[in-house]
């Protein structure tokens, strides 16, 4: 552990295995020097890529440009004007980052969007008709629903169901112990280049909870125990971590 | 500031410079749904994105898929790009690289990775796009800086970044003690960074 700073270069080049990456990201959350170093390495790596430049076939340009025309860009992540200030969210720098956050985005700008926003705060993100109130049912019964279950160390299990076509995921617990007083379960989606982004709170694990945010682009989902008001970034190790296959072209149907 | 020097030998660092700022601006416009801006951004960056994917994956068809996925992700998240945290180019290339490495490693896990490291030198297709010109200027600068690394540093950086190998794998390939490759990688990057005048990216 004393040597953990030495992993910064390998981290910036995606040359850590998963366990090392998780460990290093936890360190990164508390080490300003390493964050600065990783960022400078990422910029350096981008320059190295110039040595391999190769113009792609024109067909790729056509696919990309026709692909974007049917994808709605996500809005910027800014605090909701309605959201109350949250002291817990201000302490983001002490929080661990479990997975790749994209070194550029390590310092939390992930905003306080979780605070004060219910799970329907994001229903307008996608123009796919998901504004219906019973979104959880839609996801659970979607024809492309995929289910992953993880047992919890403390007993019980958590199941995530994701529909790529809806771009949504639902978390549901069975026999999950209630969090300690003053704590809550918080949901996270790991988004490419952004790391773990809050996907809302799950005060009651026995009720299906829709994760806020785009589950189609997410590469992982996680659940952690957080202060009751929620956190901007995870402040504890996940009780469950679900790898997801990102499907960027979702929505392009 | 602007000494009369020959450009390829020592151009000013362009991170945060006009090129970088222009790319960031294009991305910002893309975030508002401006497809023409995104097309321009694609044209300015796609050779580097695709080339990196080809280099890691060694498979043009897969590289095309990965590059396309990365661009669609970028489009979707363009409004969330924060220029204070790094350049638009490195944002894109980080996503491309991560996706390429994920593919290579999952293919490897499935026992499909072809052969070990063999392809040292790869000739880059000649082409005439504006990006190719920019990239080739940059490339000569980077090759000069790479040549200044020790052989072990250069091998370690290239195997990790362009080969997509973990530092543990790099150590085995180079017959180094396990803890040594990560140090070589870091030392190499520090030296490259300083040689290329990559500034510190301001903490947000």
């Amino acid at each position: 552990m004393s040597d953990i700073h030495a992993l910064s270069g390998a981290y910036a080049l995606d040359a850590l295995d998963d366990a090392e990456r998780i460990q290093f990201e936890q360190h990164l959350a508390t080490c300003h020097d390493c964050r600065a170093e990783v960022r400078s390495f990422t910029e350096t790596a981008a320059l190295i890529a110039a040595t391999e430049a190769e113009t792609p076939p024109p067909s790729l340009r056509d696919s990309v440009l026709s692909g974007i025309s049917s994808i709605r860009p996500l809005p910027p992540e800014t605090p909701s004007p309605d959201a109350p200030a949250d002291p817990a969210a201000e302490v983001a720098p002490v929080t661990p980052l479990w997975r790749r956050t994209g070194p550029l985005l390590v310092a939390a700008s992930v905003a306080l969007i979780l605070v004060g926003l219910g799970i329907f705060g994001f229903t307008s993100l996608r123009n796919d008709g998901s504004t219906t109130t019973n979104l959880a049912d839609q996801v659970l019964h979607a024809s492309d629903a995929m289910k992953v279950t993880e047992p919890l160390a403390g007993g019980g299990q958590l199941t995530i169901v994701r529909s790529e076509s809806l771009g949504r995921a639902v978390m549901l617990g069975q026999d999950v112990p209630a969090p300690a007083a003053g704590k809550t379960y918080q949901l996270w989606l790991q988004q490419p280049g952004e790391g773990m982004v809050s996907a809302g709170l799950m005060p009651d694990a026995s009720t299906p909870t829709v994760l806020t945010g785009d589950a189609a682009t997410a590469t992982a989902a996680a659940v952690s125990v957080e202060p009751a008001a929620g956190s901007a970034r995870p402040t504890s190790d996940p009780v469950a971590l679900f790898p997801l296959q990102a499907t960027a072209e979702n929505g392009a149907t | 500031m602007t000494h009369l020097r020959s450009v390829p030998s020592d151009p000013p660092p362009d991170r945060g410079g006009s090129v970088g700022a222009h790319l960031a601006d294009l991305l910002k416009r893309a975030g508002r749904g401006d497809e023409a801006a995104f097309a321009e951004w694609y044209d300015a960056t796609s050779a580097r994105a695709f080339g990196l994917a080809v280099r890691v994956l060694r498979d043009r068809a897969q590289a095309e898929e990965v590059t396309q996925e990365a661009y669609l992700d970028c489009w979707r998240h363009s409004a969330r790009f924060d220029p204070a945290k790094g350049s638009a180019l490195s944002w894109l290339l980080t996503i491309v690289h991560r996706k390429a490495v994920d593919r290579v490693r999952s293919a490897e896990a499935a026992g499909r990775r072809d052969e070990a490291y063999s392809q040292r030198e790869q000739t880059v297709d000649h082409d005439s796009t504006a990006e190719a010109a920019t990239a080739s200027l940059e490339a000569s600068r980077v090759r000069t800086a790479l040549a200044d690394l020790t052989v072990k540093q250069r091998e370690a950086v290239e195997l990790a970044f362009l080969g997509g190998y973990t530092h543990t794998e790099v150590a085995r390939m180079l017959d180094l003690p396990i803890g040594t490759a990560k140090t070589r990688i870091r030392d190499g990057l520090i030296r490259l960074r300083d040689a290329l005048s990559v500034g510190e990216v301001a903490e947000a």
Side-chain angles (χ1 to χ4, degrees), chain A residues 185-214:
Chain A
Y185 289 111
Q186 186 164 355
L187 306 168
W188 306 92
L189 283 175
Q190 177 176 303
Q191 298 292 359
E194 291 177 84
M196 284 290 178
V197 177
S198 176
L201 304 180
M202 183 173 64
D204 175 11
S206 64
T207 305
T209 304
V210 180
L211 281 73
T212 57
D214 192 334

Side-chain angles (χ1 to χ4, degrees), chain A residues 173-186:
Chain A
Q174 284 175 337
D175 307 322
V176 173
K183 302 280 188 179
T184 185
Y185 289 111
Q186 186 164 355

